[in-house]
Amino acid sequence: MLGIPCALDRFIQQCVLQVLQPQLDPTFSEHSYGFRPGRSAHDAVCAAQRYIQEGRYYVVDVDLEKFFDRVNHDVLMGKLAARIADKRMLGLCRRYLEAGIMADGVVVGRQEGTPQGGPLSPILANVLLDEVDKELEKRGHAFCRYADDSNVYVRSQRAAQDVMETLRRLYDKLRLRINEAKSAIAHPWERTFLGYTFFVTKKREIRRGISDKALAAMKDRVRQITRRTGGRSLTAVIEELRRYLPGWRNYFQLQQAGSRFRELDGWIRHRLRMLQLKHWKNAATVNKELRARGLTEAEAAKVAGNLKSWWRNSAMLLNKALPPKWFDAQGLPRLAT
């Protein structure tokens, strides 16, 4: 199933957004961080860290099942009508929601869900979920919501269970379903939030870390870029890393796991040394290149004589021939600054 252009083109959607944003955004909960001017995922992560540091050692981590595909149009339009008096704006929003999608070559109407990637979808999601935020506020709960990703921090398991039941009831009123497989009551350091996780130091300080899932995804991407069978030059590979790594680093710059970025830098350089060794192809070329980079004849011969052990051979002596400064000169960005 493929989407087709909405009845409203993207320019008109942006115009509608510019009209609605100033009216709606000030009415949203201070605990809502997604797709709002002056707020970010980083703000949400820092707020979560503060709540845990205050002693809220239980989290109600809720994931909504296919949220953007299951937004009920009538429920959402009812929430919008309570906030917006301009019927023309309401009509445009309704048209946006009901824009058809292409299924097997036929355009069919949409009964629920918001268009994927549309600029209006995030603010409409905030309108729908603000009712849940306000109810949590009224009950005095500490929580963070980014789009449909919501974490509530409490001081006891009993309180967490009460919150989970409250959320089930509130989401049911909105005709939304909780993904039970991905939702849980747990300690915060057992869950992830927006790609981050939290850990406790010996001094009982709560610190931010990168989740295992986010690290695995990053390493998978780097492995794909630096694969030995890609047939690309080292220059081309580093150029692709230059496009990927800075954005990843900027998002995870809040991590407080000490040497994590330095460890990843070393691992990436190891991957690139392996790739360079593969590019040199044969023992004679390896010997020549390593001697030119300062290795002794015995050192170069040791590496050249063991070319099949790519990963192991890309450490130790090859570090001397291709040190971190050499990669800096090639334009490889570092995660650790």
Side-chain angles (χ1 to χ4, degrees):
M1 183 178 290
L2 300 175
I4 64 170
C6 297
L8 296 173
D9 64 32
R10 200 169 186 85
F11 173 74
I12 295 177
Q13 293 176 43
Q14 290 288 359
C15 292
V16 172
L17 182 62
Q18 289 176 12
V19 173
L20 295 184
Q21 188 97 51
Q23 296 181 48
L24 297 176
D25 193 78
T27 69
F28 294 150
S29 166
E30 64 180 69
H31 299 275
S32 168
Y33 294 90
F35 313 107
R36 299 184 60 188
R39 288 170 169 255
S40 68
H42 284 178
D43 296 325
V45 170
C46 289
Q49 181 184 22
R50 290 195 303 271
Y51 297 146
I52 303 166
Q53 188 67 68
E54 291 168 357
R56 295 177 174 88
Y57 293 153
Y58 288 87
V59 60
V60 183
D61 183 0
V62 172
D63 180 89
L64 292 176
E65 191 173 284
K66 297 181 180 179
F67 171 71
F68 283 99
D69 292 332
R70 292 192 167 159
V71 169
N72 183 278
H73 292 177
D74 291 335
V75 173
L76 174 55
M77 290 306 302
K79 304 298 180 188
L80 274 173
R83 294 168 182 256
I84 301 171
D86 191 331
K87 294 190 180 300
R88 291 173 301 175
M89 284 291 119
L90 292 173
L92 289 172
C93 289
R94 172 68 81 170
R95 286 176 56 196
Y96 170 75
L97 290 172
E98 295 178 348
I101 54 177
M102 183 75 76
D104 300 325
V106 178
V107 178
V108 296
R110 175 194 303 273
Q111 304 303 318
E112 61 180 10
T114 60
Q116 294 293 326
L120 277 176
S121 292
I123 193 170
L124 296 181
N126 281 336
V127 169
L128 182 63
L129 295 176
D130 190 58
E131 177 178 309
V132 178
D133 296 343
K134 294 297 174 53
E135 182 61 28
L136 291 174
E137 281 184 350
K138 186 164 59 174
R139 294 169 180 259
H141 289 302
F143 67 98
C144 306
R145 181 177 65 77
Y146 191 94
D148 58 324
D149 196 345
S150 180
N151 278 9
V152 185
Y153 298 90
V154 296
R155 299 180 187 273
S156 71
Q157 188 167 15
R158 176 62 183 273
Q161 291 168 345
D162 289 344
V163 168
M164 182 65 87
E165 289 306 313
T166 297
L167 289 175
R168 286 195 179 100
R169 186 176 68 257
L170 292 172
Y171 288 134
D172 186 62
K173 283 178 57 181
L174 297 175
R175 301 187 191 178
L176 298 171
R177 288 205 296 257
I178 291 178
N179 186 328
E180 300 292 346
K182 294 183 178 180
S183 303
I185 293 171
H187 295 300
W189 41 88
E190 297 171 338
R191 305 294 291 178
T192 66
F193 183 50
L194 302 178
Y196 282 86
T197 189
F198 302 96
F199 61 95
V200 187
T201 69
K202 292 180 180 180
K203 296 182 179 180
R204 306 298 296 172
E205 293 178 343
I206 304 299
R207 295 293 183 91
R208 303 178 295 264
I210 306 170
S211 73
D212 291 342
K213 184 177 179 180
L215 278 174
M218 179 266 196
K219 286 192 169 186
D220 285 347
R221 179 67 179 131
V222 172
R223 287 189 187 99
Q224 181 184 23
I225 294 172
T226 61
R227 63 192 183 277
R228 297 198 310 273
T229 57
R232 296 175 302 156
S233 68
L234 193 67
T235 299
V237 170
I238 289 177
E239 180 57 34
E240 188 168 352
L241 289 173
R242 281 170 56 86
R243 293 193 294 269
Y244 172 68
L245 291 176
W248 189 89
R249 177 188 60 206
N250 289 342
Y251 183 78
F252 287 105
Q253 63 182 300
L254 293 183
Q255 71 91 23
Q256 298 171 305
S259 61
R260 176 68 75 187
F261 277 177
R262 290 193 296 276
E263 292 168 356
L264 289 171
D265 279 334
W267 177 78
I268 293 168
R269 288 192 293 265
H270 195 156
R271 295 280 309 177
L272 291 173
R273 291 187 187 103
M274 180 179 65
L275 184 62
Q276 181 62 82
L277 198 60
K278 175 72 173 178
H279 285 171
W280 285 334
K281 293 184 178 180
N282 57 61
T285 302
V286 169
N287 199 308
K288 174 185 174 183
E289 294 290 347
L290 295 182
R291 290 296 306 278
R293 286 167 170 78
L295 265 62
T296 67
E297 183 176 353
E299 290 172 333
K302 184 175 181 180
V303 176
N306 193 28
L307 284 184
K308 295 302 180 182
S309 300
W310 300 108
W311 182 252
R312 183 178 179 185
N313 216 7
S314 300
M316 300 176 291
L317 291 173
L318 208 58
N319 290 352
K320 181 178 177 181
L322 301 175
K325 288 185 178 180
W326 185 83
F327 288 104
D328 292 342
Q330 307 310 305
L332 178 68
R334 293 195 187 204
L335 299 176
T337 55

